Each structure stands twice: as structure tokens, then as C-alpha cells.
Amino acid sequence: MYDWAHWLPLAILTPLLGAVLTPVVSLRSRHVAVWWSLGVMTVTSVAAAMLIIRVALEGPFSYLPGGWEPPYGIELRFDEFSASVSVIVLIGWLAVLYSLRYTEWLREVPKQRIPYYYSLLLLNLGGMIGFVVTGDLFNLFVFLEILSLSSYALVAFSGEHIAEMAAFKYLLMGAISSLLVLFSIAILFGLTGSLNMADVATRLSSAESVAPAALALGMLTVGFMVKAALFPVHIWLPDAHSIAPSPISAVLSGLVVKIGILGMIRIYQIYNTAGVIDMHWLNHVLVWLGAISIVMGAFFAIFQDDIKLMLAYSTISNIGYIVMGLGLSTNFSIIGGSVHVFNHALIKATLFFAAGCLIYRTGYRTLTDLRGVGHSMPLTSIAISIGAISIVGIPPTAGFLCKWYITLGAFEAEQPFFGFALIFGALFIFIYYIRMVNAFYFQAPTHPEILEVKEAPASMLFPTLFLAGLCLVMGILGRIPLAFIEPAAQRLLAPLGG
Amino acid sequence: MLEALWNNVDYVASVVLFCIGLYIIIAKNNLIKKFLGLNIMETAVFSFIVALGVVDGGEPPIMGPDATPPFASPIPQALVLTGIVVAVSTTALALSLIIRIYRQCGTIEADELREME
């Protein structure tokens, strides 16, 4: 019998093996690297598509590598949250295509090193896919480290003069958070004697003592908060995400920070099932931190002139939305938050791709310098405008549904204050994106030659426009992901009420 | 209370080491020293995991004709081995970043670097 679950290890191993082989296949000519990576990502996309079809038809399923039964063997588990591999392979594929021209343009990077860039990018994507499908706590840590280490290196790749500083800051905070995660996994292992998530959850309910479990929960939350760049520990994000090469910024901002969120979801699943700790206080903390992130991120973004720095601050704000949705822990808010993981990835990748096109053609990166670029690069500017209205949450676009659901959730939880915080944040966001659109279309150019630049090359324009189109389509077809994630949200919620 | 701490002195030691490492990262100015702090934290976590595998009077878990339980748990050692590999690659990456920072800025003191930014 043909079992679709066999695609699961393939989806992880293809990008990881592809990454290892990239420098080898491009020994003769470095131009092979990009096509090789595209091929690897295509195979991975097919595998991901198969898995998503299976989970949509039959619900969550497991795969046991080597046939060892859990809890002794490793378990790969694919559930509705794992369906985020769809957006990982989509943005990953487009980022590879986008890099075709962009990496050649990075002047500081020696040309013969470019294959290593693709190698790191594939490692990063493979680590993320592994992270979202694993059912084993230690595997979770290993994949977390694969994706984190490759992101630190990729940030340094742009060769701008403070790139290494930004990468080092990112590395230091990221490594501390990874160690917190590892420490708490060790505590859970010591308490339960198991590493399988489902098994840990059942054994935790009969654990001898609650205090170490609570300590582990706290450290895991802080660890994943750093990865997700939530408010008090967001300080690494603006530099790292704005300095990185634009396709990498899209991957980091769209996907890598979401890994922190997905990690939190996994951990809370364990603790909710075990039911040993009252999660209400934690949810309350998360809602507050989310609300502060929304307002702070949006507020700082207003004062940025650098377009990528502005987008980076807006990521902090949007992570706030997702965390607030999870923390409110009502049906609507969790669905809204989970779908925003997906939609924000699309929107933010659109914006970073478009910003990369502008920087590629003009060489400027501040709004003042980019004035008037809307006339010479109309398609890119349309893409960036679509991204902007999506992220504000104006109805026909992808951002609207999630924010609407989270706001509904705030009212459902009888905490309307947070609903207002959300709308307030959206207003701030509206201000800074209006500033951007205004600069591109309506202000007199600071540099007259900007009116002469050509539209971005097709390999960069296609990913940008494709994602911008998806932002619109996902707004109209928004019911599909909402209905898809609902059973998972119910599962996450059910032990809380009972 | 004190007796409980003394009975678990290995766990206490690793938590203390962890905090020392964290303190060094926050307090020291030199990037290499900061990074040494991170290595101390890593060691703390690894020693904690190894200590988890200890069973009183435990034998090495190697099956054979004269193998007698209790056995020490082998899993933590496998975990730590993986952890060490991760730590080595983190160290390599961080040191290479520090070298490039030094080449570009001529210093690896955090406060001087902050002024340059």
C-alpha cells in the first residue's frame, strides 16, 4: 500500500542533503548553484504539497523513521500547524529565484563564495521544515540550531559595514535563547524520562513535582520569545533584518521569527495536555507583551527613514498580533493568530522583496532618497502598496481577516482593551505605510536620476508580484486557511476550558 | 531545604555555572569574553544533562552475558554529544565573526563598537 507519510522524511532530508551538496555540484561553475537549489526546493515543494493534501484529507499523522516505535524512536508528526511548511517552501523557492540576480549584485561578496549562500539558505529552510514537523523535543532543539546558525551566517553575508556586528548581536541572543530551550528540554527529560512530545505530555501529568515543570515552561517561553523577537527581547531584530540581503530579510522576517511562535505552540500543546500548570497567568503575560509589541513596533517604525529598518520594526509589531492572538486563548483569537503566521509571512516577504528591487535598481534605501520611484518602477511600487494595505488590514487583503479575528477574540474574551490596542497599532502602521506610498508617488524626487531607472529584472519581479497577488487572493479566499486551522485551534484550546 | 540542595549538588552547580555565564555575557565588554561566557553556559547545560543520566550504582549500559542492572541512562550522553557539535559550530561562527569585526573596526570592545555605529 502506498503511504503518503513517506513524503515526510523526504521533505526534511531533501533540502538538508541539497545544502550539503550545493558547494560540490557548483565546483565547476558557480552558476549551477542557483538552479540546483531551485531543483531541490521544487522536490521539497512537491513533498510538502503531498503532506498537506494528506493532512487536509485525513487529519494529523505520524511517521516513524526506521520503524522504531515512540517513545523510544523518533517520531515525525504532521498536524495542521505543520502545514506552515507550505509557506516555508513557497517563500523559500521564491527567495532562491530572487537571489539569482541579487547575490551577483552584492559587491562586497566574493563571487566564488556565492554557492555557500545557497547552501546556507537551503540549510535554513530544511531546518525550519524539520522544526515544524518533528514530534521529538530534542529534534526540535537540533532543528532550531540548524536554522538559527544558518540565519546568523546569512545575516553577515550582505557585507555591509555593520553586518558582522548585527550578526554577532543576533548570534549572542539567539545562542542564549537556544541554551534556555535546551536546559528546559533537559529538565522535562529529567522529570519524565522521555523526549517524545506526546509521551512527555502524558507523563508530565503524573510528575512528582510541578515546580521544575513550571521553571521549564518559563524558560521555554523566554527562549522562544527571543527567537520570535517579542517586545522586551526584540533588540536584535531591527539590525539583523535590515542589514541582511533582501531575500534573506524576507526569509528571516517572514519565516524564521515565526519558528519561535510555532515552538511556543508546540510547548503549550504539551502543557495543555498535561494540565499540571494553570496557564492563565502565562496567557495574561503574553497578551500584555503582545499588546506592547504591537504599539512599540509600530511607534518606532514611524520614525525610520530606512525602508528595510521600517519593515523590520513592523515585523515586531506583527509578532505582537500573533502572540496576542495566542495569549487571548479564545477560539477566534487563536485561529486569527495562527493564520496570521501564514499571512504575515506572505505580506512581509512581498514587502522585503519589493524593497530589495528598489534598492537593487536605485542603490538607495531611505525614503527620502527613494522619492518619486513610483513613476519609474511602477510594478514594484504596486506590489509594495498591496503589501502595505495588507499589513494595515484593509478588507480585500490577507491582513484583514486575521486582525478581524484577533479583535473578535479580544471582545470574546471580554478584554476589549486589547481590541483597541490592536486597532491603535493598525492606525500607527497606517501612518507609516502612507508615508511610504506618499514618498514613492507624490513627492518630488530628491535624486532626479531616479526617474530614469528601469524596472527590476524578471527573476526579482516575478517573486514580488506573485506574492503580492497571493496577498490579494488570500484575502478573498481567506476562509480556506481559517477553516483548515480550526480543528488544531480547538485542540489547543480544549484542555484549557476543561 | 539545605539537605535537598546538598543531595542535588550537581544540579545546583550547573545552575550556578549557567548564571555565571549569563552574568559574563551581560557584564563583560570584550566580545571574546562575552563569547567565553556563552561557552560556560553551554558547559553548564551539558553537565546538567549528563548528571541526569546518573543512576546510583549504575553500570555502563552495555549488553553482555554478565551485564547486571541497574544501568546508567545512555540517552543523556547521546544528547550531549549532539549538543557539543552544535556548540562547536556556534563557537566557530562566532569567532570568525569576531575576526571580521576586528578587521573592519580595529576593536572588539563592545562600547567602542557602539560608538562607531
Side-chain angles (χ1 to χ4, degrees), chain A residues 138 145 161 164 175 183 186, chain B residues 18 38 48 52 79 86 100 104:
Chain A
F138 194 71
E145 282 300 272
H161 76 287
E164 284 87 10
F183 209 147
Chain B
F18 194 84
L38 196 73
F48 177 76
L52 285 176
L79 302 188
V86 170
R100 285 186 56 174
Q104 285 198 340

Side-chain angles (χ1 to χ4, degrees), chain A residues 169-190:
Chain A
K169 202 177 354 172
Y170 185 16
L171 184 145
L172 213 51
M173 294 207 57
I176 295 174
S177 74
S178 300
L179 283 176
L180 285 173
V181 170
L182 182 61
F183 209 147
S184 8
I185 289 174
I187 292 175
L188 286 178
F189 175 71

Side-chain angles (χ1 to χ4, degrees), chain A residues 82-115:
Chain A
S82 313
S84 45
V85 290
S86 57
V87 72
I88 295 174
V89 293
L90 174 69
I91 294 178
W93 198 91
L94 293 173
V96 170
L97 180 64
Y98 191 95
S99 308
L100 170 67
R101 296 289 293 271
Y102 200 87
T103 46
E104 299 287 331
W105 171 79
L106 291 169
R107 263 171 251 98
E108 314 289 329
V109 180
K111 294 280 183 278
Q112 71 274 16
R113 299 256 176 94
I114 286 175

Side-chain angles (χ1 to χ4, degrees), chain A residues 64-412:
Chain A
L64 311 174
W68 299 87
E69 289 292 319
Y72 304 107
I74 290 168
E75 183 191 9
L76 300 177
R77 180 133 188 94
F78 199 92
D79 64 5
E80 285 86 351
F81 289 117
S82 313
S84 45
V85 290
S86 57
V87 72
I88 295 174
V89 293
L90 174 69
I91 294 178
W93 198 91
L94 293 173
V96 170
L97 180 64
Y98 191 95
S99 308
L100 170 67
R101 296 289 293 271
Y102 200 87
T103 46
E104 299 287 331
W105 171 79
L106 291 169
R107 263 171 251 98
E108 314 289 329
V109 180
K111 294 280 183 278
Q112 71 274 16
R113 299 256 176 94
I114 286 175
Y116 295 109
Y117 166 93
Y118 292 105
S119 187
L120 285 168
L121 182 54
L122 286 179
L123 263 186
N124 191 293
L125 297 166
M128 277 192 279
I129 295 172
F131 186 93
V132 297
V133 304
T134 183
D136 182 276
L137 279 176
F138 194 71
N139 262 18
L140 195 78
F141 167 75
V142 171
F143 285 123
L144 184 67
E145 282 300 272
I146 292 179
L147 76 94
S148 310
L149 278 173
S150 48
S151 336
Y152 311 146
L154 283 169
V155 167
F157 213 95
S158 73
E160 299 208 20
H161 76 287
I162 61 164
E164 284 87 10
M165 280 297 293
F168 190 79
K169 202 177 354 172
Y170 185 16
L171 184 145
L172 213 51
M173 294 207 57
I176 295 174
S177 74
S178 300
L179 283 176
L180 285 173
V181 170
L182 182 61
F183 209 147
S184 8
I185 289 174
I187 292 175
L188 286 178
F189 175 71
L191 269 179
T192 61
S194 174
L195 284 168
N196 183 283
M197 286 183 197
D199 197 40
V200 166
T202 43
R203 293 196 193 192
L204 200 59
S205 51
S206 54
E208 264 179 57
S209 144
V210 175
L215 178 68
L217 176 62
M219 295 204 310
L220 280 168
T221 308
V222 174
F224 284 126
M225 253 165 60
V226 176
K227 298 282 183 203
L230 201 62
F231 156 64
V233 283
H234 65 278
I235 44 172
W236 60 268
L237 185 139
D239 280 348
H241 283 197
S242 60
I243 294 299
S246 292
I248 299 306
S249 302
V251 170
L252 288 180
S253 227
L255 305 172
V256 173
V257 288
K258 307 298 164 38
I259 290 299
I261 303 285
L262 289 166
M264 280 189 198
I265 291 179
R266 288 276 182 252
I267 298 305
Y268 296 164
Q269 266 175 337
I270 295 178
Y271 277 87
N272 280 337
T273 318
V276 282
I277 294 169
D278 183 17
M279 304 282 281
H280 284 104
W281 59 272
L282 184 67
N283 283 332
H284 212 70
V285 171
L286 284 184
V287 173
W288 271 104
L289 289 180
I292 297 172
S293 290
I294 293 173
V295 177
M296 288 276 293
F299 184 72
F300 278 113
I302 294 179
F303 297 104
Q304 304 306 323
D305 199 28
D306 184 318
I307 181 167
K308 282 178 75 177
L309 205 52
M310 190 170 104
L311 295 176
Y313 274 109
S314 128
T315 299
I316 298 174
S317 172
N318 278 279
I319 288 296
Y321 284 113
I322 299 170
V323 171
M324 193 163 103
L326 295 178
L328 283 169
S329 69
T330 66
N331 193 16
F332 277 130
S333 70
I334 287 186
I335 295 176
S338 322
V339 176
H340 201 51
V341 169
F342 178 82
N343 283 351
H344 175 249
L346 293 181
I347 301 169
K348 197 41 70 69
T350 313
L351 287 168
F352 267 119
F353 279 158
C357 289
L358 298 179
I359 296 169
Y360 177 85
R361 275 300 185 214
T362 64
Y364 299 120
R365 44 189 299 160
T366 61
L367 286 184
T368 322
D369 288 331
L370 282 170
R371 275 179 196 165
V373 78
H375 303 290
S376 51
M377 297 178 71
L379 290 172
T380 312
S381 302
I382 285 174
I384 218 167
S385 311
I386 291 176
I389 57 174
S390 306
I391 211 156
V392 177
I394 293 172
T397 54
F400 167 69
L401 272 169
C402 322
K403 295 194 178 178
W404 177 246
Y405 264 62
I406 298 171
T407 318
L408 279 183
F411 286 103
E412 196 184 14

